[in-house]
Amino acid sequence: MKKLITTSSIMLLILSSCSKGYIPITETPPAPSGPISYQTDIGPVIASRCLGCHNTNDPQGNLTLENYSQVRNSAENGTLIQRINDAANPMPRSGLMPAATRMLFDEWVSNGYLEN
């Protein structure tokens, strides 16, 4: 009983010492400073998460995503947006990208596929 009271007291002390100035951990990054564009927002994601498999040398699924035109074409006429949002069959195959990253693609499409 004494051990339970001591443990409870320590936990209460720790919890009561927490300030309300903490920053919660979230998946959502700060909002971009301007409209979503390929060059600033989409291209870097493609480079870091897609080009390992979708490059000119050995494009998996016969899909190359090395430049704006190829990515836009796949978003507009292909399955790029569907696959990055598909939990059952995601791209990249390692799993869904964070929701905030996937939302960048959705906004890019909604805003008309801005390049710069």
Side-chain angles (χ1 to χ4, degrees):
M1 180 72 167
K2 188 175 184 180
K3 190 174 185 178
L4 178 63
I5 293 173
T6 304
T7 304
S8 298
S9 298
I10 292 171
M11 291 303 295
L12 183 60
L13 180 63
I14 291 170
L15 291 174
S16 66
S17 68
C18 292
S19 71
K20 294 188 180 200
Y22 69 91
I23 300 172
I25 298 173
T26 64
E27 188 177 88
T28 306
S33 60
I36 303 301
S37 73
Y38 176 80
Q39 186 173 0
T40 304
D41 305 291
I42 303 302
V45 174
I46 295 291
S48 68
R49 296 183 181 255
C50 307
L51 284 182
C53 296
H54 297 287
N55 58 64
T56 303
N57 297 333
D58 186 23
Q60 290 189 9
N62 202 28
L63 176 63
T64 304
L65 298 172
E66 290 188 327
N67 60 49
Y68 168 79
S69 296
Q70 293 166 336
V71 174
R72 179 179 175 159
N73 184 52
S74 184
E76 246 181 327
N77 304 310
T79 61
L80 178 66
I81 303 304
Q82 175 192 353
R83 290 296 302 276
I84 67 171
N85 288 298
D86 186 345
N89 191 16
M91 279 296 148
R93 289 198 182 275
S94 59
L96 287 175
M97 292 184 276
T101 303
R102 290 181 285 126
M103 287 187 320
L104 287 175
F105 282 83
D106 294 336
E107 189 172 334
W108 179 60
V109 170
S110 294
N111 290 337
Y113 307 95
L114 298 177
E115 185 172 5
N116 296 319

